[in-house]
Amino acid sequence: MSVKYLKSKSLCPLPFAGIYIEPSGDVKCCSISKQTLGNIHSQSIEELINGDTAKNIRRQMLEGEFPENCFECYNKEKNFKNINLNQISNRLYHVGKLGTAPFKLYDNENNFELQQLDVRWRNTCNGACVYCGPELSSRWAQELNDTKRMTKDAMERSIDYVYDHIDTVKTLYLCGGEPMMMKENVKLLEVITENNPELDIRINTNLSNLNNPVYKMIKDLPNIHWILSAEASKERFEYIRYPLRWDNFLNNFKIIQKLPHKISLNMSWNILNGFGIFDFVDLMLSNGLHANAFVLNRVDHPRYYNICNLPADMLAEIKTEAELRQGRLKDPFMLKYSYEAIIKHCEEPTMNMQEELRKQLGILDTRRSLDSKKIFPELYERVFH
């Protein structure tokens, strides 16, 4: 079975060993799954991971098929041949992380054992990033008066499930929202510190505040991977990641640099920082971030933030700059792969949602008392006509 597993281009460990719980109560195999297994408000987690949808995904993989649920990973592996897939593809990342641990599960579609955990208890977040929304940001929910959340009963059942299976968990992903603001993570880290302090933990954070109990526990654990969310600096950072402050991010970055932990930068590349992404990379390199720490993800939703809404001449300029930078990087660091991704994205067909973008920026400007014309003058000079 192990030989078949290693050769398979469709098999992923997460439908057999992973679970992702959203603040709404929706359950998926992972955060980029296309299908929802169900919702814990109406069914137990055990019922969902053993339900028809989950079994069908596992069965398709065991038969060498490519389930639609996992299209995003398959598509990346198909289109980015020269990229380090262990970093770019969620599927192959977890193949590497979980190693041979899932082999025993690949007998049939009925098998499941929790090994990768990604539970986002609440949408609690002090940021309202322009491309986010109320589902994963309480700040957005407050702004739009949308306060849907997991019920107390569903929360308690999800907590019970996690604690009942914590012994088999091998990797934990803390995200949000903002994971350092969630009180449920405090208790979870207390349990981990007592029972499994060597656990592999990734924490995806906006790094706005280190004065909290989550940070106080995380900083003393050994196997921590910080994933920092940022893609612009100064006033552009503060617009894109409203109402966070750039100085707080940079100061806190310097603090965690002193910890014996791994640090990566998760850059959400979008039309607001289309060309500015290069200045941001240079700034973070000058602040000591290693070239192997950069991960770039293009924003596809809302679609008007997609980089392909830039005019063809601007995309050509960005592509040329990325090619020059890629050529100067001799080692296969993640920054080199980020430039490769930029090049690929600039080659895609252009989109025509500029007027919708202008409209949405106007709405944000009015509601948040901001001025996008001053912060992104090139948009108004070269994109909006």
Side-chain angles (χ1 to χ4, degrees):
M1 179 57 69
S2 61
V3 174
K4 179 181 178 182
Y5 168 66
L6 292 172
K7 289 184 177 180
S8 174
K9 294 184 178 181
S10 66
L11 202 59
C12 174
L14 296 184
F16 298 84
I19 193 170
Y20 164 60
I21 307 176
E22 295 185 337
S24 65
D26 281 348
V27 175
K28 299 180 180 180
C29 299
C30 75
S31 61
I32 59 175
S33 292
K34 299 299 181 185
Q35 292 175 277
T36 299
L37 305 183
N39 190 288
I40 58 176
H41 288 108
S42 55
Q43 291 178 280
S44 69
I45 295 177
E46 288 86 351
E47 289 174 325
L48 297 177
I49 59 178
N50 292 301
D52 291 341
T53 301
K55 288 182 179 180
N56 187 52
I57 294 169
R58 295 194 285 260
R59 179 191 56 76
Q60 286 181 283
M61 288 184 172
L62 291 173
E63 294 178 356
E65 299 176 11
F66 295 82
E68 179 65 24
N69 177 70
C70 307
F71 170 79
E72 186 166 334
C73 281
Y74 298 143
N75 193 49
K76 286 183 178 180
E77 293 169 28
K78 176 182 177 182
N79 292 324
F80 294 92
K81 296 293 186 182
N82 298 322
I83 288 180
N84 181 345
L85 293 176
N86 288 329
Q87 297 292 331
I88 298 302
S89 162
N90 199 36
R91 181 182 81 90
L92 289 182
Y93 173 85
H94 285 97
V95 168
K97 271 296 179 184
L98 296 178
T100 60
F103 283 175
K104 62 183 179 181
L105 302 175
Y106 298 143
D107 290 334
N108 62 70
E109 66 269 23
N110 296 309
N111 291 344
F112 183 90
E113 179 183 85
L114 184 63
Q115 297 180 15
Q116 152 63 20
L117 175 63
D118 179 354
V119 56
R120 309 185 188 186
W121 313 99
R122 303 175 186 272
N123 65 348
T124 306
C125 188
N126 56 341
C129 302
V130 293
Y131 41 76
C132 192
E135 297 82 10
L136 294 176
S137 167
S138 56
R139 181 77 188 222
W140 258 114
Q142 182 182 26
E143 193 170 304
L144 298 180
N145 195 28
D146 183 345
T147 57
K148 296 177 183 177
R149 63 182 62 184
M150 198 183 301
T151 65
K152 181 179 179 181
D153 179 64
M155 174 76 75
E156 290 176 350
R157 286 189 285 112
S158 65
I159 290 173
D160 288 344
Y161 176 84
V162 168
Y163 290 167
D164 287 345
H165 296 82
I166 199 68
D167 290 342
T168 63
V169 173
K170 295 177 174 59
T171 66
L172 171 66
Y173 185 47
L174 296 177
C175 193
E178 172 47 48
M180 287 199 284
M181 293 180 64
M182 297 182 195
K183 61 183 181 181
E184 290 79 13
N185 285 338
V186 177
K187 177 61 177 177
L188 178 60
L189 288 168
E190 288 175 352
V191 173
I192 289 170
T193 300
E194 181 177 349
N195 297 285
N196 188 8
E198 302 293 322
L199 184 64
D200 189 336
I201 301 175
R202 292 179 296 154
I203 179 166
N204 193 325
T205 172
N206 62 35
L207 209 63
S208 59
N209 182 7
L210 299 183
N211 185 24
N212 58 76
V214 171
Y215 173 73
K216 291 176 182 178
M217 283 184 282
I218 281 282
K219 69 181 180 63
D220 294 323
L221 292 173
N223 298 319
I224 302 299
H225 180 179
W226 293 91
I227 303 173
L228 313 182
S229 296
E231 57 284 302
S233 63
K234 300 179 181 179
E235 69 276 4
R236 297 194 174 203
F237 172 93
E238 294 176 356
Y239 190 99
I240 294 172
R241 295 192 171 271
Y242 173 89
L244 307 183
R245 292 290 173 256
W246 168 250
D247 287 344
N248 289 344
F249 176 88
L250 194 57
N251 290 337
N252 290 336
F253 170 69
K254 293 176 180 179
I255 291 173
I256 68 167
Q257 277 184 301
K258 298 175 183 178
L259 301 175
H261 297 158
K262 180 179 179 179
I263 299 176
S264 292
L265 187 65
N266 186 32
M267 304 179 294
S268 296
W269 191 43
N270 63 90
I271 195 170
L272 299 182
N273 68 326
F275 208 97
I277 193 74
F278 301 119
D279 292 334
F280 179 66
V281 166
D282 292 342
L283 177 62
M284 295 308 294
L285 287 170
S286 70
N287 277 280
L289 196 64
H290 192 275
N292 208 35
F294 292 84
V295 177
L296 181 136
N297 294 290
R298 185 184 65 181
V299 172
D300 290 321
H301 303 284
R303 295 182 71 239
Y304 45 82
Y305 284 120
N306 189 304
I307 194 71
C308 293
N309 285 292
L310 288 174
D313 62 328
M314 291 185 71
L315 289 173
E317 292 173 20
I318 293 171
K319 178 183 176 182
T320 298
E321 178 67 18
E323 288 173 335
L324 289 172
R325 288 169 172 259
Q326 186 191 44
R328 293 196 295 263
L329 283 171
K330 303 304 179 184
D331 294 316
F333 293 135
M334 285 304 299
L335 182 54
K336 188 180 183 76
Y337 302 136
S338 293
Y339 290 147
E340 173 69 15
I342 289 175
I343 294 167
K344 290 284 187 180
H345 293 322
C346 287
E347 293 172 347
E348 295 182 13
T350 57
M351 301 172 68
N352 187 28
M353 301 191 70
Q354 295 90 344
E355 287 307 311
E356 182 62 23
L357 174 63
R358 185 207 288 263
K359 174 184 174 183
Q360 294 300 326
L361 291 180
I363 293 172
L364 285 182
D365 286 353
T366 299
R367 196 163 62 222
R368 298 176 175 181
S369 299
L370 301 172
D371 189 348
S372 57
K373 288 184 179 180
K374 290 183 178 180
I375 299 172
F376 307 102
E378 68 280 4
L379 274 180
Y380 288 85
E381 294 169 3
R382 300 185 63 183
V383 180
F384 301 146
H385 303 294

